Amino acid sequence: MAETQRTARLEIDGKTLDLPIYSPTAGPDVIDIRNLYSEGNVFTYDPGFTSTAACDSSITFIDGARGELLHRGYPIDQLAEKSHYLEVCYLLLYGKLPNADQIEDFENRVTTHTMLHEQMVNFFRGFRRDAHPMAIMVGVVGAMSAFYHDSTDINDPWQREVASIRLIAKMPTIAAWAYKYSTGQPFVYPRNDLDYASNFLRMCFSVPTEDYQVNPILSRAMDRIFILHADHEQNASTSTVRLASSSGANPLACIAAGIACLWGPSHGGANQACLEMLEEIGEVDRIPAFITRAKDRNDPFRLMGFGHRVYKNLDPRAKVMKQSADEVLGLLGVEKNKKLQVAKELERIALEDDYFAEKKLFPNVDFYSGVILEAMGFNTSMFTPIFALSRTVGWISQWKEMIEDPAMKIGRPRQLYSGNTRRDYVDVEDR
Ligand code: SDX
């Protein structure tokens, strides 16, 4: 962040405050209001944080107007095409692309930590069979802090590193076992001779009664989906992890908080909601009625997978996901997939509609992902767990950056109070 001599002058009841302005390496300038209350005795008011920079970060940058997403400066479309998920994990965690030795060592450390403590199997068995896999992930990841005591001291750099590798390594196993538990099939253990995406697919879809060969088309598509969901600035779940971690709580419990936040249909739960919406629409000729509902302010219905707080142009991840949907479904011989046809027609109609143009509503990362995941064999309840698995590296990288920042303070927002002012207690017989 570049210090500038520029200031923003604020006049409040005859008092003048000059607030420093900082220029970032990219994006809008920021006004430093840290002394506003102490010097001006006022708060700012920004529910939903539409205009608030909550931290100084160098991991991910989004240009919402241009529809650009950079991870440590590298564009997401180049990473999706040329990189692979564990290399993107290294980039997000350590700030640079690894050389051959570094990526081999990193992949080996992740690969050799994919197993869960065997006693943790009991946590899965405590859930009802019809429990949503996200409920299982919240519970099991939170329970990790009761098992892995040697990676919960956030002030020990080595323990922070161990926690980071453990979470990235074990999340696919937890997600796959949550899926297997919901199907009544036995858990499948990870294998060290498979790459990250292939391991996850095998843990989800193989059964003891026959050999399972990973389809390289699905493995590449899975890895690309992991990359597209890896990190995304200070979104709701990442902000949850940062705020929870700012109290010094252990990272395993804080990641569980992030999973809980991601589950909401306005956030990571939108991929499941979007596919269910496409199923409800069913046919292309039913689209106009749903568009009408989405535009009706009195109707709570929204086009799931559309709109974004930051992107006011096409989400670059949606662009890559749409290309991947065509490629994967074509290679799987299901290019005539009805939901994909409805999705494409829905996008075309919406983008020609003034309502969506005026509000700058475009497809986001969740619009096409569900079509691919369903074609790969996942049921809708696994869509958000896959998002959570992918985003774990983003949560951990942002957590690491915050813990290592000497200026870190516990997060404690204030409020605009609109409740009762002081009044005396009234005995029940006098009410
Ligand atoms: C993710 O933050 C991140 O980076 C998140 C994410 C990540 O990688 O971490 O990108 C992942 O969460 C993507 C978003 C997934 N959610 C959805 O697809 C759910 C549908 N989208 C909406 O709920 C909404 O667009 C949000 C929640 C995504 C954004 O909401 P905002 O920024 O608070 O915008 P808003 O609700 O104030 O909407 C602005 C206007 C409103 O109309 P008016 O009140 O001004 O008349 O646009 C309308 C909204 O009604 N609008 C929609 C709409 N989204 C917004 N109208 C119809 N359909 C929609 N999808």
Side-chain angles (χ1 to χ4, degrees):
M1 170 171 66
E3 297 275 343
T4 71
Q5 300 311 311
R6 288 165 58 215
T7 60
R9 173 154 294 185
L10 194 56
E11 297 278 346
I12 305 173
D13 301 336
K15 185 172 184 178
T16 301
L17 294 175
D18 287 317
L19 304 172
I21 294 178
Y22 305 131
S23 291
T25 51
D29 286 349
V30 300
I31 298 172
D32 184 343
I33 58 166
R34 283 175 288 188
N35 297 325
L36 180 62
Y37 179 52
S38 60
E39 293 177 11
N41 196 35
V42 292
F43 296 148
T44 59
Y45 181 60
D46 185 16
F49 310 116
T50 54
S51 304
T52 295
C55 62
D56 175 349
S57 179
S58 58
I59 298 173
T60 292
F61 175 71
I62 302 170
D63 184 324
R66 294 177 56 206
E68 183 172 58
L69 167 58
L70 307 177
H71 288 318
R72 303 287 193 179
Y74 296 98
I76 188 64
D77 51 318
Q78 291 184 25
L79 292 172
E81 183 190 345
K82 299 176 179 179
S83 186
H84 62 280
Y85 181 69
L86 285 187
E87 184 176 74
V88 173
C89 288
Y90 188 102
L91 173 66
L92 291 169
L93 279 169
Y94 305 116
K96 64 183 177 66
L97 287 172
N99 62 33
D101 292 341
Q102 288 165 333
I103 190 61
E104 182 184 358
D105 170 63
F106 182 74
E107 289 183 348
N108 182 52
R109 283 191 291 147
V110 171
T111 303
T112 54
H113 288 86
T114 52
M115 284 177 67
L116 287 179
H117 187 296
E118 190 60 18
Q119 205 180 332
M120 288 195 74
V121 170
N122 301 326
F123 277 105
F124 289 85
R125 303 206 190 290
F127 287 94
R128 285 175 43 146
R129 283 289 179 182
D130 60 354
H132 194 291
M134 282 299 279
I136 297 176
M137 285 188 83
V138 170
V140 172
V141 173
M144 284 176 75
S145 48
F147 276 84
Y148 298 103
H149 297 116
D150 59 344
S151 60
T152 54
D153 177 0
I154 64 165
N155 299 306
D156 177 346
W158 173 243
Q159 291 199 34
R160 292 203 296 268
E161 181 71 11
V162 170
S164 304
I165 296 297
R166 269 185 174 143
L167 278 160
I168 293 167
K170 297 179 191 310
M171 207 56 96
T173 309
I174 293 169
W177 286 15
Y179 174 61
K180 281 303 197 187
Y181 186 72
S182 71
T183 64
Q185 291 179 356
F187 295 142
V188 175
Y189 285 77
R191 289 175 56 108
N192 293 352
D193 60 342
L194 294 176
D195 64 67
Y196 194 84
S198 301
N199 223 345
F200 176 64
L201 290 171
R202 182 179 170 279
M203 286 191 283
C204 287
F205 296 125
S206 75
V207 289
T209 51
E210 58 191 33
D211 288 341
Y212 178 83
Q213 293 301 318
V214 178
N215 179 333
I217 300 166
L218 300 188
S219 178
R220 178 66 190 129
M222 189 82 265
D223 191 87
R224 187 180 297 145
I225 287 173
F226 290 160
I227 291 173
L228 293 173
H229 290 83
D231 189 47
H232 213 238
E233 280 192 2
Q234 307 310 317
N235 58 84
S237 53
T238 297
S239 300
T240 299
V241 171
R242 277 181 173 259
L243 189 57
S245 307
S246 70
S247 72
N250 80 68
L252 304 170
C254 296
I255 294 298
I259 296 172
C261 176
L262 185 77
W263 193 0
S266 290
H267 191 11
N271 51 20
Q272 174 174 347
C274 180
L275 200 89
E276 289 162 356
M277 175 189 73
L278 293 175
E279 282 170 347
E280 185 185 358
I281 294 173
E283 301 293 337
V284 166
D285 60 11
R286 283 164 45 90
I287 290 174
F290 283 83
I291 295 277
T292 303
R293 285 187 58 197
K295 292 157 57 175
D296 179 358
R297 296 191 66 164
N298 298 317
D299 188 330
F301 173 78
R302 286 193 169 180
L303 286 188
M304 301 318 283
F306 253 77
H308 199 277
R309 171 65 57 79
V310 177
Y311 289 121
K312 300 313 172 189
N313 201 325
L314 181 60
D315 182 333
R317 302 168 297 174
K319 189 174 175 184
V320 177
M321 202 73 82
K322 182 177 180 181
Q323 292 162 357
S324 189
D326 282 332
E327 178 191 319
V328 172
L329 272 68
L331 290 168
L332 291 174
V334 289
E335 60 274 18
K336 298 297 182 203
N337 177 289
K338 177 63 72 70
K339 295 187 188 88
L340 180 59
Q341 290 174 337
V342 171
K344 286 183 173 180
E345 184 62 6
L346 176 59
E347 178 189 10
R348 186 190 66 78
I349 295 173
L351 295 185
E352 289 177 354
D353 188 295
D354 290 344
Y355 173 91
F356 293 88
E358 282 159 20
K359 294 185 185 297
K360 300 187 183 306
L361 301 175
F362 293 86
N364 59 48
V365 69
D366 295 306
F367 190 64
Y368 285 105
S369 58
V371 172
I372 303 174
L373 292 171
E374 185 187 58
M376 292 172 74
F378 291 103
N379 58 35
T380 52
S381 65
M382 274 303 289
F383 293 2
T384 310
I386 289 169
F387 194 146
L389 180 176
S390 313
R391 183 55 57 88
T392 297
V393 67
W395 291 329
I396 277 291
S397 302
Q398 302 268 350
W399 164 77
K400 191 166 171 285
E401 180 180 70
M402 182 186 79
I403 297 295
E404 292 170 356
D405 178 352
M408 186 198 88
K409 295 168 73 75
I410 187 168
R412 206 298 188 187
R414 303 303 301 271
Q415 64 183 4
L416 181 157
Y417 179 66
S418 52
N420 295 96
T421 52
R422 183 183 175 83
R423 56 182 173 166
D424 292 331
Y425 182 81
V426 178
D427 294 332
V428 65
E429 55 270 13
D430 299 329
R431 291 175 201 160

